[in-house]
Amino acid sequence: MAEQNILNGNQKQLEQIIGDIKEHNVKKDRLEKLAESVKDISKELDNARKEKQNEMDSKIKASTDAICDGYDKSINADKDKIKAVSAARDKAKMAGVKERINAETASLRAQNEDLADQINEAFIHENISKVFNSQLFISVFNPKKLLDYVIDIAIILILYVAVPVALFLLPMIPQWILLVYCMVITLVSIVVIKCIFRKVVLKHAETIMAAQNTRIQITDNKKRIKKIEKNIRKDKNEDMYGLESFDSDINALHDDIARIEEEKSSALEEFEKNTKADIISEINERYADKITNMENELNKKEKEYDELDDLVKKQRIYISSNYEAYLGKEFINVDKLSELNSIMKSDSADTIAQALAVYNNRH
């Protein structure tokens, strides 16, 4: 329809306008449906591509895991064997260390046993109780070493300081109890010490002193034994314990693990070079037709959409310039234009302008 003032147009021109707007509306509906179709196909295509990629990733991972699993089982088995051999080696070494300690300290231990027997025989021969060969007796009556003096001072502090102070501070203890305790403990100490000193120390002084010196020698031997044991445990030389077979087995297992790791790396490299490509090719072929058809359909719909969108835009521009500019936006409506057409059919108006005037009067 040529561009002109449509208000002067007749019924035929009005019907042309109605037809143009109907056609425009149909095209717009078709454009909306095409847009939905493009959206749906795009979504289906994306899902198909994701499905293909997920299948590839899953298949490749499963194949890689299968390759690694067999080698890893062998490696873990060798590692368990290394743990078992190492435990056996440590056990053998400990047995060797104990055997060496026993061998190198045998003379000192035998000497200590002999010295202890000498003390026992001397005390039995002179009918002296073993009580007088104890650490407590030596600390009280003949202290020589630092430990003896510590024990002696501790006994004095307990009997003459700690207990009296406790009795003094406890509120439920009468004060006379403290006085009685001090008197009794002093009297008992004097009597006991005098009796023991007179009947034991003076009478068997030589034997007791000899026993004390022997005890010192036994203590010195024990220190030497501990020093020897410490040096043996610190000794890094393991050749003397016969551990060569264990070390050989452990080294062989480590070599086997290294070999398996190398084979595993080669298998994975071979998979990356060949098998992986075959897997990808097979899956691509399986999805090729489906994805290609969807891509073609999408391209077709997108092309149709673009062409129709361009046409709808041109129609919209034409309607706006030639119809809406004269009739107003509210009359770019099929129902209202149809009512104008009815007015013109009833001979109430000859032109579109007259039909508009009748319509406005009615409304």
Side-chain angles (χ1 to χ4, degrees):
M1 179 177 177
E3 295 182 7
Q4 56 181 321
N5 185 350
I6 63 170
L7 294 177
N8 296 326
N10 55 25
Q11 183 183 352
K12 184 178 180 181
Q13 290 173 319
L14 179 60
E15 289 177 348
Q16 177 65 43
I17 294 171
I18 294 171
D20 289 345
I21 293 175
K22 283 183 177 181
E23 182 184 354
H24 178 65
N25 290 338
V26 170
K27 291 290 191 293
K28 284 200 301 181
D29 292 341
R30 173 62 181 161
L31 187 65
E32 289 178 1
K33 292 178 180 179
L34 277 174
E36 288 295 323
S37 180
V38 168
K39 182 179 178 181
D40 292 340
I41 295 172
S42 296
K43 185 176 181 181
E44 290 177 6
L45 181 58
D46 288 340
N47 290 337
R49 287 169 176 167
K50 288 179 182 178
E51 182 182 347
K52 181 184 76 170
Q53 189 60 48
N54 289 338
E55 185 175 344
M56 283 183 183
D57 294 341
S58 177
K59 189 74 176 289
I60 290 170
K61 184 179 184 303
S63 299
T64 304
D65 290 345
I67 293 172
C68 293
D69 187 56
Y71 290 104
D72 289 343
K73 284 181 179 178
S74 297
I75 291 171
N76 291 333
D78 279 350
K79 287 181 178 180
D80 290 339
K81 289 178 183 178
I82 288 174
K83 289 180 182 179
V85 175
S86 296
R89 182 186 186 280
D90 292 340
K91 187 176 180 180
K93 180 182 176 182
M94 289 304 300
V97 168
K98 289 180 180 179
E99 185 178 346
R100 183 181 169 191
I101 291 172
N102 290 335
E104 295 189 19
T105 61
S107 60
L108 291 174
R109 288 185 284 106
Q111 186 179 3
N112 279 355
E113 290 177 1
D114 184 56
L115 292 174
D117 290 339
Q118 290 179 19
I119 294 173
N120 290 333
E121 289 176 3
F123 274 56
I124 291 171
H125 180 72
E126 296 191 21
N127 198 24
I128 305 173
S129 173
K130 290 183 179 181
V131 174
F132 302 114
N133 187 36
S134 65
Q135 182 71 53
L136 181 62
F137 177 80
I138 292 172
S139 299
V140 172
F141 289 94
N142 190 33
K144 287 186 177 182
K145 299 183 295 182
L146 178 61
L147 179 60
D148 297 335
Y149 286 104
V150 171
I151 294 174
D152 190 24
I153 293 172
I155 292 173
I156 293 172
L157 289 175
I158 291 171
L159 293 177
Y160 294 101
V161 178
V163 175
V165 169
L167 293 174
F168 177 76
L169 294 177
L170 291 173
M172 69 289 294
I173 304 296
Q175 293 298 311
W176 61 268
I177 295 293
L178 174 60
L179 180 61
V180 170
Y181 171 80
C182 291
M183 293 174 62
V184 170
I185 196 65
T186 301
L187 180 62
V188 170
S189 298
I190 293 172
V191 172
V192 171
I193 291 173
K194 280 188 175 183
C195 291
I196 293 175
F197 193 79
R198 184 184 302 116
K199 292 186 177 182
V200 179
V201 176
L202 291 180
K203 186 176 179 180
H204 304 287
E206 185 177 346
T207 301
I208 292 174
M209 293 295 291
Q212 186 174 2
N213 291 332
T214 302
R215 281 170 57 86
I216 292 173
Q217 187 177 352
I218 290 173
T219 302
D220 291 340
N221 285 344
K222 288 181 178 179
K223 290 180 180 179
R224 290 173 63 191
I225 290 172
K226 287 185 178 180
K227 186 176 181 180
I228 291 171
E229 182 178 349
K230 183 178 179 181
N231 290 335
I232 290 174
R233 294 189 184 278
K234 288 172 62 178
D235 188 3
K236 302 297 183 181
N237 184 13
E238 299 179 344
D239 295 341
M240 62 185 68
Y241 302 128
L243 304 177
E244 294 83 359
S245 62
F246 294 105
D247 292 338
S248 177
D249 290 342
I250 290 172
N251 290 333
L253 288 168
H254 279 298
D255 291 342
D256 192 48
I257 288 175
R259 177 185 59 78
I260 296 172
E261 289 282 6
E262 186 175 346
E263 291 178 359
K264 176 182 174 183
S265 298
S266 298
L268 290 173
E269 186 176 350
E270 175 65 21
F271 174 81
E272 287 291 327
K273 287 181 178 179
N274 299 314
T275 311
K276 182 177 178 180
D278 293 339
I279 292 173
I280 293 174
S281 177
E282 184 273 327
I283 294 175
N284 279 332
E285 288 178 5
R286 198 148 32 83
Y287 279 85
D289 290 343
K290 178 180 179 181
I291 291 177
T292 300
N293 291 336
M294 294 174 71
E295 288 174 341
N296 292 337
E297 181 67 16
L298 179 62
N299 291 333
K300 179 181 175 182
K301 292 292 184 181
E302 286 178 338
K303 183 179 179 181
E304 185 179 353
Y305 176 87
D306 291 339
E307 292 175 352
L308 184 59
D309 183 54
D310 185 59
L311 177 60
V312 169
K313 287 177 182 177
K314 289 178 180 179
Q315 287 179 336
R316 180 60 190 167
I317 292 172
Y318 183 87
I319 290 171
S320 297
S321 301
N322 294 279
Y323 303 153
E324 189 175 327
Y326 294 98
L327 297 174
K329 189 173 184 178
E330 62 175 312
F331 278 96
I332 306 303
N333 180 287
V334 173
D335 292 336
K336 289 186 177 182
L337 291 174
S338 296
E339 189 172 346
L340 291 179
N341 190 32
S342 298
I343 292 172
M344 295 183 77
K345 281 182 178 180
S346 63
D347 297 327
S348 298
D350 294 327
T351 64
I352 295 174
Q354 292 173 353
L356 283 171
V358 173
Y359 178 88
N360 290 330
N361 288 332
R362 290 179 180 178
H363 294 81

